[in-house]
Amino acid sequence: MEKQKRRIVGGFLVLVMCAGMSLNAGAVTIDEAEKKADQLEQQKESAEAEKQKLTTRLNGIIDDMNETQEKLTAKEEEIDAAEQELVQAKIDENNQYESMKKRIKFMYEGGNTQLLEVLVKSESIGDLLNKAEYVSQLSLYDRDMLTEFQNTVKEVEEKEAALKTEYEELNELQDQLSEQQTEVQELIDSKEAQISDIQDEIKANAETLDRLKKEAEEAKRLREEQAAAAAAAAASSGGGSSYTAASSGNVVSGSGYFTHPCPGMTYQSSYFGEIREFEVGGHKGNDYAAPAGTPTYAAAAGTVVIAGWSNSAGNWVVINHGNGLVTKYMHHSSLCVSAGQYVEKGQQIGYVGSTGQSTGPHLHFQVELNGVAVSPDSYM
């Protein structure tokens, strides 16, 4: 009977030891989990160092972009100033041309009779020569002044073209920097995802290590209880020997001088002199909000001195009405007139759009007297 008890206890201990060995085979041990924790921490530190390098690079790119944007803003201001200078030069050219035409018409009207009368009424040869010289000098002066104004227009156009070329180069550089920013940001995002994955692995490995340690403690406790039970069974059977288990790891309208330039407007979105956060010195005209494609009209008769593109005004038209009065029409989707064309009051000049620096479809209508912006309402 005693021998049979010993066999049962011995068999039970063998089964327990075999079960523990079978569980350990192919499972993660505490030692392996601790080594993996060290490896993961090293990977995390390496990834964070690479992320820091990329962040430094990105900050450098952003600094370059900010510097380039400042240059772009300054260049836009230079281009806008050149545009205004060109407008005034063309107005001066047009005014000189009109004045010269009037003088020529006066001198030669009626077959040069006025000119002949001036010369015939001369009191002496000297007087005659002086008057003839005056007429000649007057014509020469007109031609010289017109040539001077034309040269000024050409110089300003060349200046504006050079500024726009510099602006395009800066804009291209900004685009390149933007692409670099996107690429580096994608690398940083990828590195952050890698760090996040490593962090998840660190967390999972820590949970595994904690579980393995708890299981090891529980297994140790069970082995000690089993060893104690075996020793007690051996003692009750009269044997004098003891057993210790081995340790192992686990798992155009109105009546004013001007007709309305956009009678199809839905409402007036801004007023002359209005103070806005993004605009220095007050608004220089009236903004008439209207659906894209709404026709726009010349407020009064005059000569079109500008009909083209501006970075700030978009598709715009500038009309010289004479006597220092000029009107400007901005942000068109398309234009119906060209520079040098004479337009009548109420003649269509374009269609409402949102080109240039615009937040929505509208017509910016600006009136200037001797180069100074004045309220359009005074003429309507």
Side-chain angles (χ1 to χ4, degrees):
M1 187 67 178
E2 290 176 359
K3 291 181 178 180
Q4 186 176 5
K5 288 180 180 179
R6 288 186 185 133
R7 290 193 187 98
I8 293 172
V9 172
F12 175 77
L13 290 175
V14 170
L15 288 173
V16 170
M17 293 176 65
C18 289
M21 292 175 64
S22 64
L23 287 172
N24 289 335
V28 177
T29 65
I30 292 177
D31 185 62
E32 290 172 343
E34 288 175 342
K35 288 181 179 179
K36 184 177 181 180
D38 292 338
Q39 293 173 353
L40 288 171
E41 285 295 338
Q42 291 176 0
Q43 292 177 15
K44 180 182 177 182
E45 290 175 3
S46 177
E48 287 178 340
E50 292 176 8
K51 176 189 172 184
Q52 183 58 45
K53 290 180 181 179
L54 289 169
T55 301
T56 301
R57 181 181 169 190
L58 179 62
N59 290 336
I61 292 173
I62 292 173
D63 289 341
D64 290 343
M65 290 181 68
N66 290 335
E67 181 180 350
T68 303
Q69 186 57 53
E70 289 177 1
K71 292 180 179 178
L72 279 170
T73 300
K75 196 61 64 178
E76 286 176 348
E77 293 175 356
E78 289 181 42
I79 291 172
D80 186 66
E83 286 178 346
Q84 299 306 320
E85 186 178 348
L86 179 60
V87 169
Q88 190 58 49
K90 289 194 174 184
I91 290 171
D92 292 340
E93 177 193 12
N94 180 251
N95 287 339
Q96 174 61 22
Y97 178 67
E98 294 297 328
S99 296
M100 187 176 71
K101 285 197 302 183
K102 289 178 182 179
R103 277 193 285 271
I104 291 173
K105 180 181 178 182
F106 171 80
M107 287 190 297
Y108 292 100
E109 189 175 60
N112 289 348
T113 54
Q114 288 89 347
L115 177 59
L116 290 173
E117 286 177 4
V118 169
L119 297 177
V120 168
K121 290 180 180 179
S122 299
E123 297 177 357
S124 65
I125 293 288
D127 188 29
L128 173 65
L129 292 177
N130 286 337
K131 289 180 179 179
E133 178 65 18
Y134 171 78
V135 172
S136 176
Q137 290 297 325
L138 183 61
S139 299
L140 183 60
Y141 170 82
D142 277 333
R143 288 197 301 273
D144 289 343
M145 287 300 295
L146 182 59
T147 300
E148 181 180 342
F149 284 129
Q150 289 173 340
N151 290 336
T152 300
V153 169
K154 183 179 179 181
E155 290 174 2
V156 176
E157 285 176 339
E158 291 174 351
K159 175 182 176 181
E160 183 184 25
L163 288 171
K164 287 184 176 179
T165 298
E166 293 173 6
Y167 181 86
E168 291 301 326
E169 291 173 354
L170 286 171
N171 211 33
E172 183 177 354
L173 174 61
Q174 190 73 319
D175 290 341
Q176 293 173 358
L177 290 172
S178 180
E179 291 176 1
Q180 293 178 23
Q181 180 190 23
T182 300
E183 292 172 1
V184 175
Q185 187 61 58
E186 288 175 353
L187 290 174
I188 290 176
D189 293 342
S190 175
K191 195 59 61 179
E192 287 178 345
Q194 180 185 356
I195 292 172
S196 178
D197 291 340
I198 293 174
Q199 189 62 46
D200 290 341
E201 284 190 61
I202 290 175
K203 181 179 179 181
N205 187 71
E207 292 173 351
T208 298
L209 184 58
D210 182 67
R211 177 174 55 81
L212 289 175
K213 289 180 177 180
K214 287 181 180 179
E215 290 178 352
E217 291 294 328
E218 182 64 15
K220 180 181 178 181
R221 185 185 65 78
L222 289 174
R223 285 196 301 272
E224 288 174 350
E225 288 179 356
Q226 292 165 358
S236 64
S237 62
S241 61
S242 63
Y243 178 83
T244 301
S247 176
S248 63
N250 296 287
V251 190
V252 176
S253 58
S255 57
Y257 178 74
F258 285 166
T259 185
H260 199 292
C262 188
M265 72 168 187
T266 52
Y267 68 99
Q268 186 170 334
S269 56
S270 292
Y271 297 83
F272 173 81
E274 181 178 353
I275 303 301
R276 302 187 293 189
E277 294 180 355
F278 54 89
E279 197 169 43
V280 179
H283 197 48
K284 294 182 179 180
N286 287 345
D287 285 351
Y288 303 121
T294 301
T296 62
Y297 305 90
T303 301
V304 177
V305 293
I306 293 287
W309 174 260
S310 163
N311 286 341
S312 58
N315 292 319
W316 70 328
V317 174
V318 179
I319 301 176
N320 180 22
H321 304 286
N323 299 319
L325 188 61
V326 174
T327 53
K328 299 178 179 180
Y329 313 72
M330 305 179 186
H331 309 304
H332 289 89
S333 59
S334 60
L335 305 177
C336 303
V337 294
S338 56
Q341 179 180 346
Y342 182 84
V343 292
E344 299 290 345
K345 179 178 180 180
Q347 181 175 335
Q348 186 177 354
I349 59 173
Y351 297 90
V352 169
S354 186
T355 56
Q357 296 177 3
S358 169
T359 57
H362 73 284
L363 172 67
H364 173 94
F365 177 56
Q366 187 167 323
V367 180
E368 292 182 0
L369 183 61
N370 296 323
V372 179
V374 296
S375 175
D377 297 336
S378 302
Y379 294 85
M380 298 172 68

